[in-house]
Amino acid sequence: MDAVLKRSHELKQALVDFVLDADGEMAEALETYAAAQLRRGAGDSVQQELAIDSFAIEGKVGDKSPLDVFVQSHPELSESDRNLLNSWHQSFTGLFAITKILPDGFELMNWLTAKHYIVKPNNTKTQQEMSRLKEGEILLTRISPITDTYWTFSGPYTQMGKLGKPKLAVAIGNFKDNYKNHLYSDAPDLLEEAWQSVVKYNQQFVEFFGSDEVTMPGYQLNKKIAELQEITAEKSLAAAGIDPSKSLAEIAQEAGVDEEEIKTAAQEMGTDAKVVTQLLNNKTSTAKMVMPKVDLPAELKKAEEVTALSHPRWGQMFLPTYNKVKTILAAEDWQSIEGAEKLIRHYLEDKKINAFIWYRLAAEYPTSLEKILQTVLQRPEFSLENDLDALLQEYGKPIEPELPEIASVPLHLHNLFQEALGEVQKSKSKSKGQKKATKGFQKL
């Protein structure tokens, strides 16, 4: 183990001790940060340690990170120590696959971005613990740079074993829910492209429906959303220089790709063959992103009415009760409407109903919404203008947009999700075909 790697362990321990021993503003900031992080996941000891580790580098104490405060508080640090510590601003949490076992570490691939890293443990204890890990296993952990050529493990890791595609897809889905700010930490170009795709989709939504809000029966909305996605795909093809009116054979010939290969790839990806050609034909990394297919859940397809709303940052939402909420807010005597209080509480408690919905209702019905919340919450002093953000955060709703589900995803993730879905459906078909008597609860 080289000197700089050993030194990184000493500095990291000193940084964590500095954060944990602090009081006042830093202690309060850590408590708030950790509470927000732990609300998202299982709240186990590994997640708690990861929260402390990420706070030390990414948290804020005033307008500075704890790492910056630590460096400023230790003028005796050498220039090399300072450079190493400052490089840790590039640290990030990821879901990694072990692609190779090395004599003193591992080669890892970040599943979110498909980027590879050489990562080495920076102390003997961790090195011994990790010696049992095998190629192909999945790790949830944080890594920090040491030199231009390798990184180290920053904090604990969760060993998830070797995962089949369905379980890996679930693990990535959980990561997206629990670590939204680390989705594409090491690929800012992908993150920017993902956000831009939300803006473009919103523009196309408004152009297609004539508004950012539309209400219709669920089955009809599902068809309309499918039409919108088809138009969006055609525009994407046109932007890439592919004529949607041309046959697949013509497009394949121009791209220098075999037509059958494209059809096979499209089937595996669950997407249009012309979209595959576009991706194969474009060499830039950001172009290799795919808009996820939107299909309303079965219960919404059957709903008498569903409201679809779109926003350039918050993304797309489907609500079967949005008009009923507006009816409650517009009523002179809202308490006479059956289930009114229950529905308002549902909008507060349901994580899927985000802050954007509340901001939209507050802008349209400020007076009535304030009075209703005063009654429902039994807070007569509640002020919509002063207290709404705090209330939303109290119910676990972020007040800043997080990358929404409608955002485009890297091609390798799209492929994984489609293949995982295919395996699950194939497994279900086999299960249905086996007409054996079963006892007890069966989860499919």
Side-chain angles (χ1 to χ4, degrees):
M1 192 178 293
D2 57 34
V4 68
L5 190 56
K6 283 183 179 178
R7 182 59 177 155
S8 74
H9 177 61
E10 295 167 2
L11 288 172
K12 181 60 188 301
Q13 193 57 55
L15 171 61
V16 171
D17 289 345
F18 176 78
V19 168
L20 293 177
D21 291 343
D23 50 20
E25 191 177 4
M26 186 176 292
E28 290 174 11
L30 172 59
E31 186 178 349
T32 303
Y33 182 94
Q37 295 292 311
L38 298 177
R39 260 200 306 267
R40 293 181 178 276
D44 57 21
S45 59
V46 171
Q47 193 182 14
Q48 289 172 20
E49 288 183 55
L50 284 175
I52 294 168
D53 191 274
S54 59
F55 171 78
I57 294 167
E58 300 162 16
K60 286 292 179 187
V61 182
D63 60 351
K64 295 176 183 176
S65 71
L67 176 61
D68 293 332
V69 176
F70 174 77
V71 171
Q72 290 174 4
S73 302
H74 292 77
E76 75 282 2
L77 290 169
S78 67
E79 185 178 353
S80 60
D81 283 347
R82 289 172 182 272
N83 290 338
L84 178 58
L85 286 163
N86 287 326
S87 75
W88 290 353
H89 284 296
Q90 299 172 52
S91 304
F92 67 96
T93 306
L95 195 66
F96 299 93
I98 300 175
T99 55
K100 191 181 291 184
I101 306 290
L102 305 174
D104 56 351
F106 307 87
E107 181 182 308
L108 304 181
M109 182 194 78
N110 180 9
W111 250 109
L112 278 296
T113 60
K115 290 194 171 188
H116 289 251
Y117 299 89
I118 302 297
V119 188
K120 303 177 182 182
N122 63 7
N123 64 88
T124 306
K125 183 185 175 188
T126 304
Q127 199 169 34
Q128 289 173 347
E129 286 175 355
M130 301 188 86
S131 63
R132 67 182 185 277
L133 297 177
K134 302 286 190 298
E135 197 172 296
E137 289 197 83
I138 304 296
L139 301 178
L140 168 65
T141 190
R142 283 176 60 79
I143 63 173
S144 298
I146 298 298
T147 69
D148 291 338
T149 57
Y150 75 90
W151 298 55
T152 191
F153 294 97
S154 178
Y157 65 91
T158 297
Q159 181 183 357
M160 304 178 77
K162 294 183 180 182
L163 302 179
K165 287 174 183 174
K167 287 186 177 179
L168 179 57
V170 170
I172 291 171
N174 289 338
F175 183 90
K176 288 174 72 177
D177 289 340
N178 298 333
Y179 301 95
K180 285 183 182 290
N181 59 327
H182 285 287
L183 284 184
Y184 307 121
S185 293
D186 56 338
D189 56 334
L190 292 183
L191 183 61
E192 178 61 27
E193 180 70 12
W195 277 112
Q196 282 302 316
S197 73
V198 181
V199 174
K200 289 176 188 173
Y201 184 83
N202 176 69
Q203 291 170 344
Q204 288 155 0
F205 183 102
V206 173
E207 188 178 315
F208 181 78
F209 287 109
S211 171
D212 62 356
E213 178 184 327
V214 62
T215 302
M216 60 183 70
Y219 74 92
Q220 186 181 349
L221 180 61
N222 196 53
K223 287 181 180 178
K224 287 291 183 183
I225 291 294
E227 287 176 29
L228 170 58
Q229 289 208 298
E230 194 173 325
I231 292 169
T232 302
E234 287 184 1
K235 287 184 177 179
S236 178
L237 292 171
I242 295 175
D243 185 351
S245 65
K246 287 185 178 180
S247 70
L248 181 59
E250 290 173 310
I251 294 172
Q253 188 176 2
E254 288 177 8
V257 184
D258 183 78
E259 184 179 351
E260 287 306 312
E261 286 182 29
I262 294 174
K263 286 180 179 176
T264 302
Q267 190 174 9
E268 290 175 355
M269 288 168 57
T271 190
D272 185 84
K274 292 179 182 179
V275 174
V276 176
T277 311
Q278 172 200 347
L279 294 165
L280 294 173
N281 201 31
N282 202 315
K283 305 302 180 188
T284 64
S285 62
T286 55
K288 296 188 185 299
M289 294 187 78
V290 183
M291 187 177 74
K293 185 177 184 298
V294 177
D295 196 27
L296 264 65
E299 65 272 16
L300 291 186
K301 287 179 188 175
K302 296 174 185 175
E304 287 185 18
E305 70 168 37
V306 179
T307 300
L309 300 111
S310 181
H311 186 273
R313 295 285 291 173
W314 290 97
Q316 180 175 256
M317 286 132 281
F318 300 113
L319 297 170
T321 54
Y322 191 67
N323 274 351
K324 185 170 183 182
V325 169
K326 292 207 294 185
T327 299
I328 292 168
L329 294 173
E332 287 187 19
D333 180 11
W334 68 272
Q335 288 176 306
S336 66
I337 299 173
E338 186 180 353
E341 182 171 336
K342 184 179 179 182
L343 186 56
I344 296 297
R345 285 194 179 278
H346 171 71
Y347 267 54
L348 278 173
E349 293 165 1
D350 190 341
K351 290 183 179 180
K352 293 177 185 175
I353 298 172
N354 60 28
F356 164 64
I357 299 297
W358 281 93
Y359 293 149
R360 193 177 180 97
L361 293 170
E364 197 170 347
Y365 305 96
T367 305
S368 58
L369 182 58
E370 183 174 89
K371 288 180 179 177
I372 289 172
L373 286 174
Q374 287 172 350
T375 303
V376 170
L377 299 170
Q378 297 182 346
R379 300 179 191 179
E381 303 302 317
F382 179 84
S383 161
L384 204 62
E385 184 179 351
N386 299 328
D387 304 326
L388 180 58
D389 281 355
L391 176 67
L392 295 175
Q393 289 174 308
E394 180 185 331
Y395 281 89
K397 299 183 189 294
I399 59 174
E400 291 296 328
E402 295 173 330
L403 191 64
E405 292 296 321
I406 193 62
S408 293
V409 298
L411 179 58
H412 72 281
L413 287 183
H414 179 79
N415 289 351
L416 171 68
F417 296 146
Q418 292 299 326
E419 290 164 8
L421 184 61
E423 285 190 17
V424 170
Q425 289 174 339
K426 196 180 293 183
S427 175
K428 283 184 177 180
S429 297
K430 285 181 181 178
S431 297
K432 287 178 182 177
Q434 296 169 352
K435 297 183 179 179
K436 293 180 181 179
T438 55
K439 294 182 180 180
F441 176 73
Q442 300 295 311
K443 186 176 180 182
L444 299 178

